Amino acid sequence: MRSLEGKVALVTGSSSGIGQGIAEKFAQEGARVVINYSRSAEGGDATLAMVRQAGSDGVIVQADVTKMDDIRRLIDAAYDSFGTLDILVNNAGMEKKASFTEVLEADYDQVMAVNMKGPFFLTQYFVQNLQNAKKPGRIINISSVHEDMAFPGFTSYCMSKGGMRMFTRNLAVELGPMNITINNIAPGAIRTPINTKLLEDKDKLDALLKNIPLNRLGTTDDVAELAAFLASDRAAYVTGSTYVVDGGLMRNYHEQ
Ligand code: BGC
């Protein structure tokens, strides 16, 4: 039997990149998927096509995860379309590069809103619904190696991912008695649109590859495999931790 047969999952930011890879993988494992995008309607359509190709079904919802009304609409869409919601993947995220002295207030606010406020209140409404239905659930946050590792020029991003780390630790304790698990996945350098600038700059890319023991960028599938495991019944006793998918990047140190 496929590991997510009969389950319903919401994957935020699933019109591209890691979110799209997770939506497709979940569908291959039998889950029906609520696909979310904020700006790219075509991306949402592409993900739905992948989900259907995998033999499952989905629904597309445009929503901005920083807005409370949109958050409710997203989760309600799962109940309206499929009658339940078992798995929440807080994947939507963003980064803004600027040296610390040049960070603009509006950029700071946006990074914090997308990376922290969104997951916070989506998770809250997800849990309220599970509590009413007396059902167990799974929460998977897509964090980053930068929940732990410094990344100069991306201080707001690093803070937000560090916040996500404590969010997960706290909620593992608070939600455990409801049989709701929560875990983080911390990807390293994955071939996705968030890295477009890097992928277009050969010198920067070569320098980065020298830091990755497995000597390649990750694929969305590398991340989605772990997400599928964490979402499945096989991970029933796994909660409160972060799992790194980075080709060894975080552990690497070498003297020339
Ligand atoms: C960031 C990427 C970066 C990677 C490795 C990710 O969290 O989004 O921009 O290349 O970490 O440093």
Side-chain angles (χ1 to χ4, degrees), residues 10 12 34 36 61 63 65 70-78 122:
L10 162 61
T12 64
V34 179
N36 156 247
V61 184
V65 298
D70 285 23
I71 285 174
R72 287 191 207 97
R73 216 161 35 73
L74 252 177
I75 296 202
D76 290 347
L122 265 163

Side-chain angles (χ1 to χ4, degrees), residues 95 143-146 149 151 154 157 161 187-190 194-195 198 208 249:
E95 61 190 32
S143 172
S144 166
V145 289
H146 300 298
M149 190 170 73
F151 195 14
F154 292 89
Y157 180 72
K161 297 302 185 180
I190 310 295
I194 211 172
N195 282 316
L198 175 78
L208 173 63
L249 174 69

Side-chain angles (χ1 to χ4, degrees), residues 172-184:
V173 178
E174 207 165 324
L175 305 183
M178 293 174 226
N179 200 8
I180 298 170
T181 67
I182 177 164
N183 292 288
N184 282 10

Side-chain angles (χ1 to χ4, degrees), residues 145 148 184-188 226 242-251:
V145 289
D148 248 327
N184 282 10
I185 296 179
L226 179 57
T242 293
Y243 300 88
V244 176
V245 186
D246 74 343
L249 174 69
M250 265 182 103
R251 297 288 171 250

